[in-house]
Amino acid sequence: MFVKTTRNSKGQAYFHLVESFRIDGKVKQRVLLSLGRDDEGKIQELAAALSRHSESIQAFEQLKTLDVKHAYIAGPLLILDRVMENLGIKEVIGKVALKHERLGFDLLRTVFTLIASRWIKPVSKLELYEKWVDRLYPELVDNNIRLHQFYRCLDVMAKHKEEIENFLYRYGRDLFSMQTDIVLYDLTTLRFESTREDTDSLRRFGYSKEHRHDCTQVVLGLLTDTDGIPLSFDVHPGNTFEGHTLKGIVDRIRKKFQIRRFIFVADRGLFSSDNLTYIKEQKGEFVVGMRLGKLQKPNDVFYDTKKYKWINDGLAIYETTYKGDRLIITWAKARADKDRKTREEVLEKIKKKLSSNKATAKHFITQKPFRKYVLIDGKKPILNQKAIDEEEKKDGYFGIITNVTGMSAVQIVTQYKELWHIEDAFGELKGNLKVRPIFHWTNERIIGHLTVCFLAYLCQAYLTKQLREKKVMLKSKATDENLIQQRALTAPTAIEELATMMAIPVETPSKKIWIRTDVGQNGIQLFKTLGMQIPPKILKTEYKV
């Protein structure tokens, strides 16, 4: 390492701190620091410049032998900090904190830590306290937080859930420039690793969409916009029938979000005459899926695509009425293929059971998917070929009922298809964010936990929207072009890569210097997508007293 003098085209001399290194046996040089211009031979200024940077250079040298136990996860936290600022989460949590002056801990930092855990390592509050909070960059989290403060934070979040949702919705109306008042609604179930029902009013046994009938659960109702940005959620006892969750929701949407006109889009599980009547009484509009089997006398034309209007090779539409509302029936090739594949898988299982000499009527009567395809001939079960043929005729058909008059049938179908956003949200909540199993025992803690998960998903959905709009593609480490597949960069993938960007404290006699490790290509893309500069190599310098 040495000081090198260079001159520009005007003959002005500049000093640079240069390091020599070898590549393939050849000596090369790289500039470590620019030390300024040699103005009238001011060597004293050069010495001062060298002095200013000497401890930083010393820190980099110490970094080469530093133990990784001193490394703190920093990358995702820097992104989360900006996203929470952009979405208004920091502002609303700050307002909530002012109402709890005697909390005894920093509410915003605690909420930040809980959300960061969902992103980086979604674990229980106990495991977060015992194993993970000490691994997070202390510039943004409180490494000294106590376990009971995490739980107290959940109580506060539960108490102010409605206030937080209202604020973020109003903030988001401007942020996302929402123009159409269309909300998507769906439900899922979330399990507990528990069978007790005596500690709260939410944990109950019920129909489990996760097929975990051995655990208590709650029913989660989620509202999003058509971009998948979550707006609100409701928690219902685990034994609630999903069709009954709609009562009161229209009125709550109007009051909470101050919407004069909205279109309510929901899956066929919400279809019932009572629900549709209720929405109409509330002067609401709906686009709801409908099982054609619900019709008492399905018209033969429903299953005759010759009467349909073909939109493209894979989609045809037929419109009629049902009890005064528009009934739009679609045939889709993708749905037909899926229906056929599902039936063939069931029939394969039935045939396998029938081939066994031990097969009895009991094997089929008690299993709903098998019942309609099996006849009991005396005591012997046989395939019901007539039922199979009838089902085959219905492959690909689906109904949508609506009272919306200002949209074409194609527009109605398009809006209904947007429900995939909620399915995606449930997938992320249960998958990457691991909202369940839930380990809490009171209504407040359960709702508080789900509020934190809601905010974590809101932040992730915001990143997803930004990446999609800017069409950011995944950068692969593969070098063989045949192995590289062009795929969109997803928020979870970028966050996972950024988790390898660590903040490392390096001690010198007078300073503690926080140095970051390298940022991967996809992490760099995420910083740029949010309009953030790549963090400097030296994140922070703390001077010792």
Side-chain angles (χ1 to χ4, degrees), residues 56-277:
S56 296
I57 296 169
Q58 180 185 354
F60 279 113
E61 288 298 317
Q62 290 185 22
L63 182 60
K64 296 176 181 178
T65 58
L66 198 68
D67 193 321
V68 294
K69 291 180 181 178
H70 295 88
Y72 297 84
I73 298 171
L77 274 62
L78 296 173
I79 293 291
L80 180 59
D81 186 60
R82 173 61 67 89
V83 171
M84 287 179 61
E85 180 74 37
N86 289 353
L87 291 173
I89 296 175
K90 283 188 176 182
E91 185 175 343
V92 69
I93 298 301
K95 292 177 181 292
V96 170
L98 292 176
K99 300 178 181 180
H100 298 269
E101 296 179 352
R102 297 183 180 180
L103 268 181
F105 61 91
D106 189 326
L107 181 64
L108 178 57
R109 279 202 169 202
T110 307
V111 171
F112 181 93
T113 304
L114 289 170
I115 295 176
S117 170
R118 292 293 115 190
W119 271 24
I120 300 166
K121 187 67 177 179
V123 294
S124 67
K125 312 303 177 293
L126 178 60
E127 187 172 348
L128 172 62
Y129 169 71
E130 291 182 338
K131 297 181 180 180
W132 283 96
V133 73
D134 289 336
R135 302 185 191 184
L136 304 179
Y137 184 31
E139 177 69 14
L140 295 172
V141 304
D142 182 1
N143 300 124
N144 296 315
I145 193 167
R146 311 309 299 167
L147 178 60
H148 71 87
Q149 292 171 337
F150 279 136
Y151 294 131
R152 180 72 182 106
C153 175
L154 297 184
D155 293 336
V156 174
M157 296 298 284
K159 182 176 181 180
H160 296 276
K161 168 188 174 294
E162 298 296 322
E163 176 186 341
I164 292 169
E165 288 178 343
N166 290 348
F167 180 91
L168 294 180
Y169 174 78
R170 291 194 299 271
Y171 202 93
R173 293 287 289 186
D174 298 328
L175 180 65
F176 300 116
S177 301
M178 298 178 191
Q179 299 297 325
T180 309
D181 294 322
I182 299 176
V183 294
L184 312 178
Y185 181 70
D186 205 352
L187 298 119
T188 192
T189 55
L190 302 173
R191 74 175 187 274
F192 296 76
E193 293 296 335
S194 170
T195 59
R196 292 186 61 177
E197 296 182 303
D198 59 333
T199 62
D200 57 88
S201 61
L202 292 174
R203 296 188 306 167
R204 294 291 182 269
F205 287 102
Y207 173 74
S208 171
K209 294 192 175 185
E210 302 174 45
H211 306 292
R212 288 296 304 271
H213 304 291
D214 57 325
C215 299
T216 53
Q217 63 180 23
V218 292
V219 175
L220 175 70
L222 182 66
L223 281 170
T224 78
D225 70 5
T226 52
D227 285 321
I229 303 297
L231 306 175
S232 175
F233 73 92
D234 284 319
V235 189
H236 307 277
N239 57 359
T240 305
F241 173 62
E242 62 180 313
H244 296 163
T245 64
L246 197 61
K247 213 67 176 175
I249 195 170
V250 176
D251 188 51
R252 291 200 305 276
I253 290 173
R254 289 193 189 283
K255 290 181 179 178
K256 180 184 289 188
F257 301 138
Q258 299 178 352
I259 297 176
R260 289 176 297 176
R261 181 207 183 217
F262 74 91
I263 300 172
F264 185 86
V265 184
D267 201 358
R268 55 192 182 184
L270 274 295
F271 173 82
S272 74
S273 296
D274 289 343
N275 279 342
L276 301 188
T277 299

Side-chain angles (χ1 to χ4, degrees), residues 11 67 72 205 316 347 353-354 376 380-381 397 461 474 517 537:
D67 193 321
Y72 297 84
F205 287 102
L347 289 175
K353 285 181 177 290
L354 289 176
I376 308 301
K380 182 182 178 182
Y397 292 92
L474 174 70
T517 58
K537 201 69 177 179

Side-chain angles (χ1 to χ4, degrees), residues 242-426:
E242 62 180 313
H244 296 163
T245 64
L246 197 61
K247 213 67 176 175
I249 195 170
V250 176
D251 188 51
R252 291 200 305 276
I253 290 173
R254 289 193 189 283
K255 290 181 179 178
K256 180 184 289 188
F257 301 138
Q258 299 178 352
I259 297 176
R260 289 176 297 176
R261 181 207 183 217
F262 74 91
I263 300 172
F264 185 86
V265 184
D267 201 358
R268 55 192 182 184
L270 274 295
F271 173 82
S272 74
S273 296
D274 289 343
N275 279 342
L276 301 188
T277 299
Y278 164 71
I279 295 175
K280 286 188 279 191
E281 287 174 351
Q282 299 295 318
K283 302 188 185 304
E285 297 171 277
F286 55 82
V287 176
V288 178
M290 178 182 183
R291 293 183 179 88
L292 295 180
K294 290 279 187 181
L295 299 172
Q296 292 181 350
K297 294 181 180 180
N299 194 320
D300 290 340
V301 75
F302 292 175
Y303 302 109
D304 182 5
T305 54
K306 294 178 182 178
K307 306 292 185 181
Y308 281 50
K309 177 181 178 182
W310 286 87
I311 308 304
N312 53 51
D313 291 341
L315 178 65
I317 293 176
Y318 175 81
E319 182 170 350
T320 182
T321 59
Y322 176 75
K323 294 185 178 181
D325 294 315
R326 297 170 68 188
L327 174 58
I328 299 167
I329 305 172
T330 68
W331 179 90
K333 184 179 184 303
R335 179 179 287 274
D337 292 341
K338 181 181 177 182
D339 291 345
R340 183 178 63 256
K341 183 179 179 182
T342 301
R343 182 176 59 258
E344 288 174 351
E345 289 174 353
V346 172
L347 289 175
E348 186 65 30
K349 293 178 181 178
I350 292 174
K351 290 175 182 177
K352 187 175 181 179
K353 285 181 177 290
L354 289 176
S355 65
S356 170
N357 293 328
K358 297 180 180 179
T360 65
K362 183 179 179 181
H363 288 106
F364 300 97
I365 294 174
T366 58
Q367 298 187 48
K368 187 176 180 181
F370 295 169
R371 265 181 260 165
K372 61 182 175 182
Y373 299 129
V374 175
L375 281 175
I376 308 301
D377 185 9
K379 292 185 178 181
K380 182 182 178 182
I382 60 173
L383 277 177
N384 186 343
Q385 191 59 49
K386 182 179 179 181
I388 294 171
D389 294 340
E390 286 296 317
E391 283 296 305
E392 188 175 352
K393 294 178 184 178
K394 300 175 183 178
D395 286 351
Y397 292 92
F398 188 79
I400 300 172
I401 191 162
T402 180
N403 65 342
V404 177
T405 58
M407 291 185 182
S408 68
V410 174
Q411 289 174 317
I412 294 295
V413 172
T414 300
Q415 290 300 336
Y416 183 80
K417 287 185 175 180
E418 293 298 322
L419 280 173
W420 73 266
H421 284 295
I422 290 200
E423 294 176 5
D424 190 55
F426 288 150

